[in-house]
Amino acid sequence: MKVRHLAIPLLAFLMSAPTWAGTVEVEKGKDIVYTRTKGNCISCHMMPGGNLPGNYGPPLVQMQARFPKQQDLFDQIYDARVKNPLTIMPPFGAHRMLSEDEINWLVEYLYTL
C-alpha cells in the first residue's frame, strides 16, 4: 500500500512538470547562450553541456531554485549592476546587447538547467 501512496504524488508531479525541451523559446535561448556575438554565457559560466567554460561567473545550474521568479533572472541578465554595482557581468539589456525577447528566451533556456 505504501508504494501506491508514493506513486500518486510522483505521478501528479510528473504530470504538472513543465515541458521545456524542444520549445522554440528554449532553443532560441540555448542558441544565444553559445553564440559568441550574442550572450556567449559559456565564456564566463560553467554550465551543463558546455565546452571550455569560463569561471568568472557562478555555474549556471539549478536556476529555478536560485531564481524562483523568472523576473528576477530576467533583471539579473538585463542589468546585474542594479543588485551589484561592482559586477563584471555585462548589462545585456541596458546596453542593448540583447533585446527583451532575447533575454526572455535566455530565461526560458536557463530554467531548464
Side-chain angles (χ1 to χ4, degrees):
M1 282 300 216
K2 288 185 180 179
V3 172
R4 183 175 181 185
H5 293 288
L6 293 174
I8 292 172
L10 178 60
L11 182 60
F13 170 76
L14 292 174
M15 291 177 68
S16 67
T19 55
W20 288 294
T23 66
V24 172
E25 292 81 8
V26 169
E27 293 304 316
K28 287 180 179 180
K30 184 177 181 180
D31 188 48
I32 292 169
V33 162
Y34 295 105
T35 300
R36 290 186 188 269
T37 58
K38 285 289 185 179
N40 198 22
C41 306
I42 195 71
S43 68
C44 294
H45 298 277
M46 188 276 305
M47 59 190 354
N51 295 329
L52 302 171
N55 60 0
Y56 295 110
L60 298 181
V61 295
Q62 299 183 350
M63 298 306 288
Q64 287 185 51
R66 292 172 49 203
F67 294 91
K69 296 178 184 173
Q70 286 187 339
Q71 184 63 48
D72 291 342
L73 181 53
F74 179 95
D75 294 343
Q76 180 69 15
I77 298 167
Y78 190 88
D79 192 348
R81 300 172 302 173
V82 172
K83 286 191 175 181
N84 179 4
L86 301 177
T87 188
I88 61 170
M89 183 166 170
F92 288 101
H95 285 179
R96 305 210 191 298
M97 292 181 274
L98 296 175
S99 70
E100 288 190 12
D101 283 341
E102 290 170 322
I103 295 172
N104 280 316
W105 300 333
L106 270 177
V107 169
E108 291 296 324
Y109 173 68
L110 293 174
Y111 253 46
T112 68
L113 304 179

